[in-house]
Amino acid sequence: MTVRVVLADDQPLVRSGLRVIMADHPDLEVVGEAATGAEAVQLVRDVRPDVVVMDIRMPGMDGIEATRLITADRATTRVLVLTTFDEDDYVYGALRAGASGFVVKDMALDDILTAVRVVAAGDALIAPGVTRRLIAGFIGRPAAVPERSPRPAEGITEREREVLTLVGRGRSNSEIAEDLFITVATAKSHVSRLLTKLGARDRVQLVITAYEMGLVTPVPRP
């Protein structure tokens, strides 16, 4: 399956670099580019991509507002936010707006491409070390619950609770399988059921739910 991607960044060099490297990967297709948040929102409505690689700081409408508008739509487009370590406040806003993952701008391009695939599949958190830190701080902030926050957990089994705890710790499906002595397919099945039962859009929202339920304790930020 080809992942259709929109690149939203006000720096032409960033868009060009991503576009060139994606051209060498047949499973990724750039279907549009935007230099502002408003352009990104319109492009998503026009071409319905699978993933938007979204910068935060852009002229006019920023990436946070663009993310909110994109995820408020009933389309299945997911947003992968481009960030840097000194932009936590912006990332908290993007998380509230419904972003599905985060990548750091100085990551290797191949790692960013992997993140695009992961977000498109809704299968794992991006850059677990970064994401854990961001979400831990996010959970402790006022108004931290996203507009589409999953409803309180009801009807989940004890095994699903164990899986949710591990998801909250940033564990991948293979790591969950190893920890619980189950197959990767079984771990993936548990995660899929949790997404359905909790009304969560993706694993990022499952992580938030795990923190809100007290299954995972936020790590103090240095």
Side-chain angles (χ1 to χ4, degrees), residues 25 31 49 150 166 204:
H25 296 264
V31 295
L166 292 173
V204 170

Side-chain angles (χ1 to χ4, degrees), residues 90-194:
Y90 293 95
V91 178
Y92 299 137
L95 184 56
R96 286 194 292 272
S100 294
F102 311 96
V103 288
V104 181
K105 280 191 172 182
D106 60 3
M107 287 173 62
L109 285 175
D110 283 345
D111 290 336
I112 294 177
L113 299 189
T114 297
V116 171
R117 297 183 181 101
V118 168
V119 166
D123 191 45
L125 291 174
I126 308 306
V130 176
T131 307
R132 289 188 195 122
R133 180 173 67 89
L134 293 172
I135 293 178
F138 168 82
I139 290 299
R141 290 180 168 233
V145 180
E147 294 178 6
R148 288 162 303 288
S149 176
R151 60 182 178 273
E154 294 178 356
I156 67 173
T157 66
E158 184 58 34
R159 175 62 86 185
E160 288 167 347
R161 184 179 294 269
E162 292 175 340
V163 171
L164 181 59
T165 300
L166 292 173
V167 171
R169 293 173 180 165
R171 307 289 276 176
S172 67
N173 287 340
S174 59
E175 290 170 331
I176 291 171
E178 182 178 350
D179 289 347
L180 298 180
F181 302 101
I182 57 179
T183 67
V184 174
T186 299
K188 187 173 183 178
S189 178
H190 282 309
V191 172
S192 295
R193 284 198 292 271
L194 283 167

